[in-house]
Amino acid sequence: MNVTMLLADSAQVAEGKLYILGGGWSLSGPEPVPSAVAIKVEVDTHEFDRVHHWELFLEDADGQLVQFDSPEGPQTIEIRGDFSASAPEGVPAGTPVDVPIAVNLGPIPLNANSRFIWRLVIDGESLAGATASFTTRPLPAIL
């Protein structure tokens, strides 16, 4: 499998395609804003016709899961799902299939002037291209 990830303001999947609004950024904030992770998974033919499990994690610059306090205690941001792909009719044998995934998020309160990474794991494996990193701007100077 090959993975391509892109940060965006918003994303959706329709008719097998990714529709991306405000995509391709790597600076955010410092105030919390809605965002999305647009993901394209290219599934090779030997991986067809079975369920693949994906997990998306938000990590800090040290590779630690970002945690937030909640009434239930510390929580991490972890999103999970499943997908499968089959050979489309009428295409040459060996043609991979693209699976689009759009993950939209509400405003996340992150530390200013910090680096973060969205990491995608498929079937328990970290793949090349399966990260999207960004930095939050510093807080404005108070005069």
Side-chain angles (χ1 to χ4, degrees):
M1 277 186 230
N2 292 312
V3 177
T4 303
M5 293 176 52
L6 185 70
L7 298 174
D9 295 339
S10 178
Q12 72 179 45
V13 173
E15 299 178 16
K17 298 178 187 176
L18 274 170
Y19 290 84
I20 300 167
L21 178 65
W25 52 263
S26 60
L27 286 173
S28 181
E31 67 284 342
V33 296
S35 62
V37 182
I39 304 166
K40 180 183 82 105
V41 181
E42 183 181 284
V43 182
D44 296 318
T45 56
H46 70 278
E47 298 160 325
F48 285 177
D49 301 319
R50 64 177 202 189
V51 176
H52 299 280
H53 181 71
W54 62 268
E55 299 172 296
L56 185 66
F57 303 99
L58 183 60
E59 300 175 348
D60 63 19
D62 296 324
Q64 300 300 309
L65 293 176
V66 173
Q67 290 191 349
F68 298 93
D69 291 326
S70 76
E72 296 83 31
Q75 299 289 317
T76 57
I77 298 179
E78 303 177 26
I79 301 127
R80 293 176 172 79
D82 297 301
F83 67 87
S84 62
S86 297
E89 287 186 35
V91 298
T95 301
V97 170
D98 292 334
V99 174
I101 301 170
V103 178
N104 287 281
L105 305 143
I108 301 172
L110 297 171
N111 292 334
N113 201 31
S114 298
R115 188 91 174 134
F116 298 94
I117 300 164
W118 283 107
R119 181 172 311 284
L120 180 70
V121 175
I122 299 176
D123 296 333
E125 191 177 339
S126 293
L127 303 169
T131 61
S133 58
F134 66 100
T135 300
T136 52
R137 293 179 180 92
L139 291 169
I142 299 175
L143 301 175

